[in-house]
Amino acid sequence: MDFLNALVALSNFVLIPAIAYGSQLALGALGVTLIYGILRFSNFAHGDTMAIGTMVTILATWGLQAMGVSLGPLPTALLAIPAGIAGAALLVLLTDRFVYRFYREQKAKPVILVIVSMGVMFIYNGVTRFIIGPDDQRFADGERFIINARQFKEMTGLDEGLALKSTQGITLITAVIVVALLFWFLNHTRTGKSMRAYSDNEDLALLSGINPERVVMVTWLIVAALATVAGTLYGLDKSFKPFTYFQLLLPIFASAIVGGLGSPLGAIAGGFIIAFSEVGITYAWKKVLSYMLPESLEPSGLVQLMSTDYKFAVSFVILIIVLLFRPTGLFKGKSV
Amino acid sequence: MIRVENLHRHFGGFRAVDGATLEIADGSITGLVGPNGAGKSTLFNVIAGALPPTSGTVIMDGEDITGLPPHTLFHKGLLRTFQIAHEFSSMTCRENLMMVPGRQAGESLWNAWFGRGRIAQEEEALLKKADEVLDFLTISHLKDEKAGNLSGGQKKLLELGRTMMVDAKIVFLDEVGAGVNRTLLNTIADTIVRLNRERGYTFCVIEHDMDFIGRICDPVIVMAEGKKLAEGTLDQIKADEAVIEAYLGTGLKNKEAAG
Amino acid sequence: MSSGVYDDRGNRDRSIANADGMGSAMPVNEGGKAHPAPAGPFLIGEAMTGGYGRGADILHACTIAVDRGEIAVIVGPNGAGKSTAMKAVFGMLSLREGAVRLDGEDITELTPQARVRKGMGFVPQTHNIFTSMTVEENLEMGAFIRDDDFRSTMDQVYELFPILKEKRRQAAGELSGGQRQQVAVGRALMTQPKVLMLDEPTAGVSPIVMDELFDRIIEVARTGLPVLMVEQNARQALEIADKGYVLVQGRNAHTGTGKELLADAEVRRSFLGG
Amino acid sequence: QEAKIGVILGFTGPIESLTPAMGDSAELALSEVNDAGTFLEGVTLTPVRADSTCIDSAAATAAAERLITTDGVLAIMGADCSGVTGAILSNAAVPNGVPMISPSATSPALSNADDNGLFFRTAPSDARQGEVLASILGERDISSVAVTYTNNDYGKGFADSFAAAFEETGGEITLSAPHEDGKGDYSAEIGALASAGGDVLVVLGYSDQGGKGMIQAALDTGAFDTFAMGDGMYSDALLEDLGSALEGSFGSVPWAQGEGTEAFTKIATDAGINAEGSYTRESYDAAALIALAMMKGGEASSAAVAANVMDVANAPGEEILPGELGKAMEILADGGDIDYVGATNVELVGEGEAAGTYRYYEIEDGEFTTVSFK
Amino acid sequence: MRTLGLFALVAVLILGTGFMQSWNSALIILNMGLVSAIMALGVNLQWGLAGLFNVGVMGFVALGGLAVVLTSETPVPAAWSAGGWRVLGALLFGLAAIAACVAAWKRLRRGRRGWAVAAIAIAGFFVYRAILDPGVEAVEAVDPAATGFLGGLGLPVLLAWPVGGLLAAGVAWVIGKTALGLRSDYLAIATLGIAEIIIAVLKNEDWLSRGVKNVIGLPRPVPYEIDLQNDPGFVESAAGLGLDPTTASTLYVKLGYSVLFTVVLVVLLVLAQLALKSPWGRMMRAIRDNEEAAEAMGKDVTARHLQVFILGSVLCGIAGAMMTTLDGQLTPSSYQPLRYTFLIWVMVIVGGSGNNLGAVLGGFLIWFLWVQVEPMGQWLMSVVTSGMADGSAIKAHLLGSVQHMRLLTMGVILLVVLRFAPRGLLPER
Ligand SMILES: Nc1ncnc2c1ncn2[C@@H]1O[C@H](COP(=O)(O)OP(=O)(O)OP(=O)(O)O)[C@@H](O)[C@H]1O
Ligand SMILES: Nc1ncnc2c1ncn2[C@@H]1O[C@H](COP(=O)(O)OP(=O)(O)OP(=O)(O)O)[C@@H](O)[C@H]1O
Ligand SMILES: [Mg+2]
Ligand SMILES: [Mg+2]
């Protein structure tokens, strides 16, 4: 019984939140890593792409809600995601056409593109705030919980509650589906393979009859979709605010790098590592331990390795240690 | 000069160098040949410190140099060139040469700020030496050209020139000839021989062009599957059945039909 | 090589910038069409003048051509513009003057990928395989433009280069130099090209593999496929060539049959190493 | 004739969602004065906005410098975050002799700043509210709490003063964990706090920032179901968003007893401004004080503001509520005395800080209901 | 030529600000421009000269800020007696524990050393916390609203600038030792992480620098305006120049900073240029061009990378200290990657990486824009909306969003500059 309580407490406060957060980071990192792999630069505007995709989704959700459409227990926003993707896709394609393409054709070195993407970031940022404003926006509806803590306690008779939000469930399921789809696409379809080929060797891709502009376009479309899905899930789970999306950039980049930039598998692993190290290291183990240990050994303090002030710092230390012991990165990315 | 004993270098499960034992005699120009993937470049990289060995030892002049970093080996007189030319592309040919000598006073920041006079003298000497080397290599007209703008063969000459800026004891050349025009290759061959004669450098040369090997090398070592397969003069090697089967082959079968 | 105006001066940081596999070609842009232009050899790059980006001209009115069933070989000193000429024929850089014609059509304005669809196959001098993809995927990429079933072609390639069949699940980047060259040629053959262009296919390849490669090339040419190739192993190459070009500083210096060039004392001395 | 008043708030940056309402509310006071038409014989007050970014002291200083030396503002309504406020104060305001009234810089450290008599604030220093909140918990017989505060000078100062007061009364703080604003994920903080336990979670943050995120996360995981909240958490939007889940939670908020706030709510709502937002009331008061002090001094000048703010804000004199600025002008023009009450019951103590009265509220039936005033 | 022209342009922009807005604004831009130029110079040393990617500029700048507090604040004796020595002891113990870990790692044989080091680290960590925590608590309890920290050494504030450099150098050394010479990703992650860690420490270790409660009113190397205004001699000479005392005093103080900063910048720039144009610079360029070959030519690439990484970080540290001195306060929460890392990067790339003068130019220009895009954005909006009917909803919305035009304008300008000068305004030859 005590063991079960300990397990439930751990799941409730560490496992479930970390998995959900990890999936959100992973989806974001996938987008970053795809652009890095195929378009060859670190896209600083990704956080704001997520914000814009989410913004369009929100506007569409409001429209649907106004029309009385609903998905029952599921959030209406899921229905609006395609609109968000379309909006984000349109925006990134336009940006590519008028900004990035110039540098690509000039064979500008990636670092230039990185700085250019910072400029784009500023612009997207302004656009988002301009259209929807800097405020918090709530757009989640439907059932909030699959099971909440109180119900769980009643059901099981345990002392500890376990809450599972529907958004967490949706996040995880969506992440799995999206990742599976992406893998299948990259490894088994002609277009996917042509993208990998282009990423491997641009000139040779040209010589094989692959149209680079098409590859670029498909990449942006996928990235727009990933960004919108990630952003919407994040917004559903927490809430939408442009500034948080900008702040998300750092953990997303950390995820992508630790997993090995350019490697989709790595992005996913990286997302989970960051999420787990943020949530796990700063967790106060007192509760879990007091269930597990005999009363005489019960800890007096909180048994917290680090205070939560350092959660982000800790996750970085973990990354560095991971990299020190796995010099090729978790999944060998494009790095030398 | 160099003795390699039971050297191994594995990549995962793959044994690129698999217990090679060989010796490069002082003052010789030793050729190193072998089929693609035999482990020649890997062996070079291990000797020159670019890759750590899995096991085994490398001995230079009686001293164990296994696993020393390349810059330490450089100061011990062991130089190498790369299979693909590694010029400093944004620097001029002259600068490419002038940066080579070790322990320059001007390489310390302190001197760069406060010892300008001393640096100026030293630079003058370096400049003279660099120009001499460029003359020697017949590319003095390119001295102010960026190295990145040279053609493939000229880059290879420049690589060779770097080894002449200091008094090397042994120089490792990795496929200087690949992709180089044959006429230019002859010049390079002559240069190698001259350096060997006039300055007493020892050479170890990887090459697939048998004419080139024949012109300068004695002895020739054949590697296959990470081990030494044979050693001898070129003629001896050419007569070796195992070498013919693994490496040299018997010439074109379709030539007549095509002609 | 000086790599254009936008050089980032040797910075090799991989976490921000991924220069791996970044192209250096300045391909002909979209929008052009092929025009009928009958007569002439099967493939000809005629009086080509051009260079990289906004840099100086590297080719000066250079002409190379190959006809059905022929092997044409280009030789010349390093930096003469041989590879540049090949790229120009393939549309990897825009010509300032001159034209490229294939099979009775003027294709000067076509993009490289459109030329592939017109039946051209090219093996560049360097970076000629997809290192992160398996051997089989490399071959599949060769057949990218084909909509039909390319299984049988793949079997033919495997038959031609048996070692590749053994290694087909291995990443091509892990192969040795000679094996890589075989993959590269195999990839070009998968296109089922109407003309095959090879840039120094034998550089760094051991004698036995080189002989093997030349054998294959002759075999291929005998099936009627024109082969245009650059070679530094010039004597061996010219021996099997029907036509030879000597390029010097982007200009045609000598042209003739392989035998003629081999017999020319000056060519021998200056370009073939005596 | 025109008198310019600087409105320096963080229109971009971490509190960008609060600042528009704050700015509007300050401008509402100024336009009210202008509309009265009696201000200093036809002088018009013109607000000039600038971005403090909330975090970038250098940019904020540059912006303030521009307002002062280029636009020639006579006084500054701002800045918002304590860090940039201190920077503007010492680098731009004090050197140029321009007074500042901050609606939201609550750091106790600013009390000791070398301000040359130029710095005022309508938000109370956090030191006092800590005591108020502790006494509320005492009233409710709550002896063990977990605390989370927003990791800035406001939150930290508040948490410190709360801890001191609460522990003095014998209460136990199981864990005091900061949270960063502008992040979305607070799983780690909630995990630690839940493990530490406590009867209620004391949330000293912002209602549209990390504070809300923390409450949301606590509710989602079932870690806590009752919350004690500081002033930054008081907002209708929070109630609306979290709904019935907040039932039974309580908190403190600086509050003018009765009329002042109601009056403000009315005029603000009429003007389309969210009266309940954090610091909107303080912003209105700050701007109003500037205008009143000028009127009192009889000239539109920096010196007049600096010299008279304390005077118009405090007794003796006729009490002035929001919406009565016109009346105040008349009194002042006649040489009378006023005691500006404003939206937050302004009472400046010490070197020009709000003393503050607090409302102890509880959430019942989805509404803030007053329990008592402190 | 181009160099001269562009610097003239910057001069015109700043002078223009002086004429159009005010000289105070102009000087303020100039001063921060000087500081930014030093930061950009530091990043340029690392990236332009050695190809090292430092995304932790913010951390080094913050260390400079910390140095100002540690050097120039007056010490708080009560805090020292309450627990200061204990804290110091804990820190020393921490260092010893780390040294023990490193020693164990080096001495012990492979198989078991991992466990040994882990054991030392974990035990050391708990002992460290046990010593540290009570001390910290005691220190922070000393009048938390006003002090609650140990204070500094009470030395002249100018001394803080080199100290800032030293602190930065120390941290750079640690990062360099662990991350340089390995995969380049490490450097990105390590610098990104260390910057976050430094900020986290600054925010949360109240005993050190009051954490988020900020240290304000730091000493200045120049006189206070108020004192000047009250100094009859000064007022008189100001009157002689036809200036009112307020303006004169503010200008005087800012000019004082400008002179100090200019001296620092010029010295650093001259040193950087001398280094670049010497065999050392040649060696660095060679290393940047081709590490492998440089290594084979006897250059110790790792050591050189470490050297240049430390140098660049030192510049950032010095600049950070200068900036905090200029602000007169340390506010840890104001350190944001966008402002202190990415903006500096923008300066370097727009100015032209690899060219010291370019970096300096970028520093001035981008800083100017960063400050002036706000009025530009407002102006843009008023132009856009001028044609619209008064009171229309769109106009109101546009005018209401005018503050957000700031970043947008910055973005647009950045894109335009990079479009026409993709290698930067002053590219390396
Ligand atoms: N980094 C690596 N990872 C895995 N395998 C490698 C690596 N480097 C080399 N190899 C393998 O080691 C073997 C030997 O390679 P090496 O480059 O030494 O051959 P070589 O004798 O120089 O051949 P060539 O004549 O083609 O240059 C090859 O089969 C190659 O695939
Ligand atoms: N991407 C490029 N950008 C600019 N210049 C280039 C580029 N590639 C090659 N060049 C220049 O063009 C000229 C011709 O190069 P090319 O590669 O065609 O020579 P090549 O005849 O193939 O020589 P090699 O026998 O060494 O391969 C050389 O001077 C070279 O420096
Ligand atoms: Mg090799
Ligand atoms: Mg070539």
Side-chain angles (χ1 to χ4, degrees), chain D residues 203-216:
Chain D
V203 186
L204 312 177
Y206 299 115
S207 62
D208 60 345
Q209 291 281 343
K212 180 183 167 201
M214 289 295 295
I215 291 189
Q216 180 91 64

Side-chain angles (χ1 to χ4, degrees), chain E residues 31 34 38 157-158 161 220-222 253-267 322 325:
Chain E
N31 285 345
L34 286 163
I38 296 178
V157 69
L158 282 185
W161 300 359
R220 280 183 175 186
V222 293
V253 168
K254 293 196 180 81
L255 268 177
Y257 278 119
S258 308
V259 170
L260 284 173
F261 289 178
T262 310
V263 168
V264 177
L265 176 64
V266 167
V267 168
M322 290 163 59
T325 312

Side-chain angles (χ1 to χ4, degrees), chain A residues 296-316:
Chain A
S296 54
L297 281 179
E298 224 167 77
S300 56
L302 287 174
V303 206
Q304 190 183 15
L305 280 179
M306 276 275 169
S307 82
T308 46
D309 319 358
Y310 289 107
K311 69 171 182 181
F312 204 49
V314 166
S315 61
F316 269 111

Side-chain angles (χ1 to χ4, degrees), chain B residues 11 14 16 35-42 83 175 208, chain C residues 174 177:
Chain B
F11 293 106
F14 183 80
N36 293 119
K40 304 178 297 292
S41 299
T42 311
Q83 183 162 3
E175 301 208 19
H208 287 302
Chain C
E174 290 168 12

Side-chain angles (χ1 to χ4, degrees), chain A residues 36 107 190 193 200-202, chain C residues 14 21 25 127 132 140 144:
Chain A
Y36 177 86
K107 306 285 170 206
R190 237 163 69 98
K193 281 185 187 174
D200 187 315
N201 188 333
E202 244 175 71
Chain C
R14 304 294 182 188
H127 303 296
S132 68
E140 278 175 26
F144 184 77

